[in-house]
Structures are given as structure tokens and as C-alpha cells.
Amino acid sequence: MAALPALSLGLAGPAIAQQAGQADLALVLAADCSGSVREEHYVLQQRGYADAFSHPKVVDAILSGLHGAVAVCYFQWSGPSLHNLLLPWTLLKSRADVLAFGAALGKVPRSIFGGGTAPGEAIDFGSALLEADRLPFRATRRVIDVSGDGRNNRGQPPALARDRAVARGITINGLPILHMEPDIDSYYEQNIIGGTGAFIMPARDYASFAEAIRRKLILEIAARPQTGGPQTSGPQTSLHG
């Protein structure tokens, strides 16, 4: 990752991060890089992430929590064994931190170019990142944010991984992209999301990704909507832009 100089601002190792303390939220960003994601779609996706983390409302949401900080990391996924953590855990506790992380997201190279679609294994990978020995911060809430444009076609049923994560106190939210499968939002509601306050924020297409991820981040950081307790299956909350 030498091509991403922004990482030198604090996206590095646990030895530094462990000194940073408490976060309101530990957020795993899980980005689909399966074969259905064409290169132009990937560029729009990364631009959307970068734009979201530079938006004043996202910055304000991050800095206005009880601890004024959010821990975040980013990985790409496709098939059952294809997961690449490209931006490790970092604590965003200032405007400069947030903007630096957004800039780094915008420059992340694509590392996976196919291999099927296995959101269940992506959930498992994200859950492992939220374990105490991998998460170098104390976090009040733990969330996995899964984006994707297709159904599971490899590996385990994703609902099994979702239920395991929810049983450990993790929430999974979804950002289904509807450009290939117009009903993929219903699939995400039934099979992907779960946990306290879980919701989906559909994007009509990759051109709409930036607005969807911005709105989604604000809701996740602000811990809205709330459903009153952990859930493990069935439709929960759908928020359409």
C-alpha cells in the first residue's frame, strides 16, 4: 500500500492505535469486487466513498458523538476465500482524520476481479476484524457495512453468518446496488442485514452510490434507526433515497 501516502496520517498499526482510546462506533466497510462490478463501476464506488467522507454532515456526525470518534476499516470481497483488507483500523477523531481517510479510500486500487459472490464469508471476515484481538480501540457499537450488487452464488448461506455476527452483538447494514437485480434490496433485507437498528440504503445504480453511502454513514454514525433490540432474521428497515 505504498501508493497510499494518506495512510501515514494514522491508518497504520495497532501499536499507535491502541493509544487513541474510545470510539462511538467501530465500522467495517465491506466492498463487493465480484465479476459483476465492472471497472467503471468500481471507480464510481470509490469516488462515492471518498465524497462521503469529505461531506460536512458526515464529518459533523463523526465528531458529535459522545467520544467524538469513529474507528473504521475497509476491505474488498468476492468469493469465499477472497478478502483483502486494504485500509486497516484507524480512529477518526478530527476533521483532518476524516478527510485523510476519505482521500485514501478514493485512491484504493482494486485488488479482486472476480471469484463469485459470497457475502456470508464477507460477513465472517468483517466479524473477525471486530474481535478484541483485531480491533485496537474500545468501541460502544460494532457495525459491518456490506455493499454489493448480487445474490450469494458461492459458499455458505449468508443468513448463517449474519446470525452468528448478531449473536456476538454486531449489526450488519446493507447497501444493495440495484443496477443488475432490481429486487436485490429485498434479498439484502431477508439474508444480509441483522442486529440492533439494522437497515438497508439501496442505491439505484453506481452513479447513485455516493449519495446512498453518505446518507447511510450519517445514519450509522448517529445510531438511527433503532429497532429496540438484536434481530437475527427477516426484513428489518429499508430506507430508499
Side-chain angles (χ1 to χ4, degrees), residues 128-200:
L129 292 172
L130 289 163
E131 286 296 303
D133 61 342
R134 301 285 300 278
L135 177 61
F137 310 103
R138 297 182 302 276
T140 304
R141 294 180 292 119
R142 297 178 297 161
V143 173
I144 303 170
D145 185 338
V146 181
S147 67
D149 65 3
R151 288 169 168 76
N152 176 70
N153 59 27
R154 296 283 179 87
Q156 66 181 311
L160 298 179
R162 175 201 62 199
D163 291 352
R164 286 195 297 271
V166 170
R168 291 157 55 193
I170 296 169
T171 294
I172 303 101
N173 295 329
L175 201 165
I177 304 162
L178 280 56
H179 82 120
M180 289 186 63
E181 300 185 46
D183 61 346
I184 193 65
D185 51 346
S186 296
Y187 180 83
Y188 264 59
E189 285 184 324
Q190 296 288 340
N191 298 278
I192 303 294
I193 68 170
T196 302
F199 68 96
I200 65 168

Side-chain angles (χ1 to χ4, degrees), residues 27-191:
L27 177 64
V28 176
L29 301 174
D32 181 5
C33 281
S34 58
S36 61
V37 181
R38 299 199 300 268
E39 187 58 28
E40 62 267 30
H41 297 155
Y42 177 79
V43 170
L44 288 169
Q45 177 178 269
Q46 295 311 114
R47 188 180 300 159
Y49 277 122
D51 289 349
F53 277 90
S54 67
H55 196 281
K57 289 186 177 180
V58 173
V59 177
D60 289 346
I62 290 172
L63 302 182
S64 63
L66 179 63
H67 302 287
V70 167
V72 62
C73 68
Y74 166 91
F75 76 91
Q76 296 174 356
W77 64 275
S78 65
S81 61
L82 293 172
H83 314 100
N84 287 336
L85 177 64
L86 296 178
L87 296 183
W89 284 114
T90 186
L91 194 67
L92 309 182
K93 56 180 181 177
S94 71
R95 183 175 183 274
D97 291 340
V98 181
L99 296 180
F101 189 79
L105 277 169
K107 297 175 183 177
V108 169
R110 184 170 185 170
S111 65
I112 301 173
F113 294 85
T117 303
E121 278 73 10
I123 292 170
D124 280 344
F125 187 83
S127 296
L129 292 172
L130 289 163
E131 286 296 303
D133 61 342
R134 301 285 300 278
L135 177 61
F137 310 103
R138 297 182 302 276
T140 304
R141 294 180 292 119
R142 297 178 297 161
V143 173
I144 303 170
D145 185 338
V146 181
S147 67
D149 65 3
R151 288 169 168 76
N152 176 70
N153 59 27
R154 296 283 179 87
Q156 66 181 311
L160 298 179
R162 175 201 62 199
D163 291 352
R164 286 195 297 271
V166 170
R168 291 157 55 193
I170 296 169
T171 294
I172 303 101
N173 295 329
L175 201 165
I177 304 162
L178 280 56
H179 82 120
M180 289 186 63
E181 300 185 46
D183 61 346
I184 193 65
D185 51 346
S186 296
Y187 180 83
Y188 264 59
E189 285 184 324
Q190 296 288 340
N191 298 278

